[in-house]
Amino acid sequence: QRQLVESGGGLVQPGGSLRLSCAVSGLTLEYYAIGWFRQVPGKEREGVSCLRSSDGRAEYADSVKGRFTISRDNAKNTAYLQMNNLRPEDTAIYYCALVDGTPSLRESLYKFWGQGTQVTVSS
């Protein structure tokens, strides 16, 4: 069964850090590009970052550049999103997704999705 499971979310103070994980099963992660997205209730889901499978090139939304880092461990079939210097506006449900092609921050490209993990940034 193809499954993506996010973990690592939680409550953190502004300026803090979290590392999200996306454990993939039923698929071989190295053949897929990875995307991380987030959604606030009542708003559209937005692309946060994506990572190519071929050359490791990454893309970030302007709002997270310099603070977030996307990575992958193909041996563990797991993707990651390291989030530093978190801000209250980063509060959202975070989703990982996979696409077997060139990634972008457009969610319509992605074929496989996880259920999401809540990140709350608050003092």
Side-chain angles (χ1 to χ4, degrees):
Q1 183 179 0
R2 299 166 178 174
Q3 196 171 18
L4 283 65
V5 179
E6 300 95 337
S7 61
L11 173 63
V12 63
Q13 292 187 343
S17 297
L18 285 173
R19 188 177 79 154
L20 304 184
S21 298
C22 174
V24 178
S25 58
L27 296 164
T28 302
L29 181 61
E30 68 176 305
Y31 300 137
Y32 292 87
I34 302 160
W36 283 96
F37 296 81
R38 65 186 182 187
Q39 188 170 25
V40 175
K43 293 188 177 182
E44 292 188 355
R45 190 153 50 186
E46 67 168 330
V48 174
S49 182
C50 59
L51 180 65
R52 294 187 184 204
S53 60
S54 55
D55 58 9
R57 189 176 303 178
E59 182 179 350
Y60 297 93
D62 288 342
S63 58
V64 306
K65 277 181 184 175
R67 300 188 298 123
F68 289 13
T69 304
I70 190 172
S71 63
R72 66 196 299 150
D73 186 335
N74 290 334
K76 294 183 178 180
N77 232 35
T78 301
Y80 303 97
L81 185 69
Q82 178 67 43
M83 307 188 294
N84 298 329
N85 192 20
L86 284 161
R87 305 167 180 168
E89 54 264 38
D90 294 318
T91 296
I93 299 172
Y94 283 73
Y95 301 87
C96 63
L98 302 183
V99 60
D100 56 352
T102 303
S104 78
L105 298 182
R106 284 172 38 212
E107 65 170 300
S108 60
L109 290 179
Y110 291 79
K111 187 175 181 179
F112 304 105
W113 288 84
Q115 294 299 307
T117 185
Q118 175 71 48
V119 171
T120 303
V121 185
S122 175
S123 56

